[in-house]
Amino acid sequence: MSILVFTLILLAGAFIAGMLGSLTGLGGGVVIIPLLTLIFHVDIRYAVGASLVASIANSSGAAAAYIKEGITNVRIGMFLEIATTTGAIVGAILAVYTPTHLVAILFGFVLLFSAAMTLRKKNEHGSNDSNSKLASIMRLNSSYPVNGQEVPYKVNGVAGGYALMTVAGVVSGLLGIGSGALKVLAMDGVMRIPFKVSTTTSNFMIGVTAAASAVIYLQRGYIDPGIAMPVVLGVLAGAFGGSKLLMKLNTRKLRILFCVVISALALEMIYNGFTGKL
């Protein structure tokens, strides 16, 4: 296969990955890494490096729009970034010394968890009965716009959310995905933040978390421009297209279809990991 054909196919695959990631909220990395490892037989560390670079670009673009709309809770995002960034650095260092087949197996299980998370019931409106002193001291309680009106919410479980965010950071650094499912679980399930706020704040955080991990991968030589550039361009274009389609499609059916596809990819990754093919 020539370099031109490889680049064009990778660009098309990244476009589809970015679109699916945008429509489901999981990010393009959950498709990009299986695409590179299972179809193109790229070393999983290089696939992770390319996915991290794409996550930085994708998150940076979307985060600006959400902050402008007033949905993202920047104070919560900056506070939890301490946990995710620390975890991401640890995860990236572990990835360098972890056998590739173990990374593939873990990646497969995280994919299964992420697929299941897309179908869980969401905490749409948050909580207003929190007595968390830590949330009050740090001024984490806020509001977000709904139909032109500001709806207030209060934050619970600050310590539990911080701990789970550290785990999310380790997973992100180790596997090269935004670990949005874990981030949303921490904010939506533990801290009881409204779902729209948790997803947009998670998107705001993903870029910073990925950047911390990417530094380690870059130092180790695991970011190949020939792979990363088509992936970034394709994922960005796909994410933009997905955001336009989101208002027209039945997202519930799309999430079910996506879960089936992701679960199949996960099982393939786990199988290849156990058999030593990755």
Side-chain angles (χ1 to χ4, degrees), residues 259-277:
C259 284
V260 173
V261 174
I262 286 298
S263 297
L265 290 173
L267 294 174
E268 180 72 12
M269 292 287 287
I270 293 170
Y271 172 76
N272 286 342
F274 276 117
T275 56
K277 293 181 180 179

Side-chain angles (χ1 to χ4, degrees), residues 71-91:
I71 303 175
T72 302
N73 190 319
V74 177
R75 292 188 70 89
I76 291 178
M78 295 302 292
F79 167 64
L80 295 179
E81 269 302 341
I82 300 172
T84 57
T85 303
T86 304
I89 293 173
V90 173

Side-chain angles (χ1 to χ4, degrees), residues 158-181:
V158 176
Y162 188 92
L164 191 52
M165 281 295 178
T166 304
V167 177
V170 173
V171 172
S172 178
L174 182 61
L175 304 180
I177 58 178
S179 61

Side-chain angles (χ1 to χ4, degrees), residues 4-138:
L4 178 61
V5 173
F6 171 80
T7 302
L8 291 175
I9 295 175
L10 185 55
L11 191 64
F15 177 83
I16 296 172
M19 181 174 291
L20 290 174
S22 174
L23 291 171
T24 58
L26 289 179
V30 296
V31 178
I32 282 295
I33 294 176
L35 172 71
L36 289 172
T37 55
L38 298 178
I39 296 179
F40 293 109
H41 304 291
V42 173
D43 185 291
I44 194 168
R45 293 191 181 100
Y46 288 92
V48 169
S51 177
L52 286 170
V53 175
S55 295
I56 296 169
N58 200 18
S59 172
S60 299
Y66 290 136
I67 291 174
K68 186 177 181 180
E69 292 174 8
I71 303 175
T72 302
N73 190 319
V74 177
R75 292 188 70 89
I76 291 178
M78 295 302 292
F79 167 64
L80 295 179
E81 269 302 341
I82 300 172
T84 57
T85 303
T86 304
I89 293 173
V90 173
I93 294 173
L94 288 175
V96 174
Y97 301 102
T98 303
T100 55
H101 71 279
L102 291 180
V103 175
I105 293 169
L106 181 58
F107 184 86
F109 282 113
V110 170
L111 280 189
L112 291 175
F113 173 76
S114 298
M117 283 293 295
T118 63
L119 300 178
R120 65 184 285 271
K121 185 178 180 180
K122 308 298 189 299
N123 177 32
E124 297 289 348
H125 303 295
S127 170
N128 278 313
D129 57 359
S130 170
N131 294 317
S132 173
K133 293 183 179 180
L134 190 56
S136 299
I137 292 172
M138 301 184 68

